[in-house]
Amino acid sequence: LMVQHKDQMQLAQSRGFKSIMFPNIVNNDVYEIEGNKERKNFVVVGAISSRKSLHLLIPVIKKIGDKIFEFVGAPGDSIGEKIFEELKSLKNVLMHGRLNRKDTLKKIAGAKALVNTSRMEGFPNAFLEAWALGTPVISLFVDPGDVIKTHNLGYFCNGDVNLLEKILNMNHYDITEENLRSYVRDNHSPSAAITAFEKIFSDDLK
């Protein structure tokens, strides 16, 4: 069984499955993207739906009216349509709707941070693309394999909305773009995937 991170591996093993960890790969086109150098706004990417728990973010956005939030994505269900309309009515929110891949990556590249409020994710490609672009991730519920905490790739709030608000209000994040990019190069590049693939066959031959 192939898994994306150590938490999935532990779950698979607890259920009696032999598992191997194989990294997601970041496409090389990500490195060609340039965004706004000022990095003032926050960005949220993905379908706006009941699964994303964006109703928890809305009160926070209202409380910190001096911070701008940009949303890339369209409503994914009836609840998402209501959330979309409420977000659109807020003065410090920019709704871009669905964008093509290049324009989405530009928004991430120019953001102060990528914000994620989903309760359940595997290993989101948006996280990897953000780090490859030098953008930290602020995640309310998800830290796949504890990589955010372990590698200083952003902030994990462990479901604490008050902590999320505090982090969004911070003027400076003690996170370097080079550290974010290095993590992706070392763990999610094509060469890293080849190394992982070779290890799989090496272990099987022992």
Side-chain angles (χ1 to χ4, degrees), residues 22 24 48 70 140 172 189 202:
F22 193 79
N24 292 24
I48 297 171
E70 301 190 45
L140 181 56
H172 173 74
S189 64
S202 174

Side-chain angles (χ1 to χ4, degrees), residues 42-105:
F42 296 102
V43 67
V44 182
V45 174
I48 297 171
S49 69
S50 54
R51 292 181 58 252
K52 300 296 183 179
S53 301
L54 290 171
H55 65 285
L56 297 174
L57 182 60
I58 290 174
V60 176
I61 292 174
K62 291 178 178 178
K63 288 175 72 175
I64 52 176
D66 61 325
K67 311 293 184 185
I68 305 299
F69 292 79
E70 301 190 45
F71 285 78
V72 178
D77 54 28
S78 59
I79 293 176
E81 290 174 0
K82 294 177 182 177
I83 293 172
F84 186 94
E85 292 302 319
E86 184 171 4
L87 286 167
K88 193 166 66 172
S89 71
L90 302 180
K91 293 181 180 179
N92 58 329
V93 169
L94 300 173
M95 304 298 290
H96 299 293
R98 188 180 289 111
L99 299 178
N100 62 40
R101 174 175 166 76
K102 184 175 181 180
D103 288 338
T104 299
L105 291 174

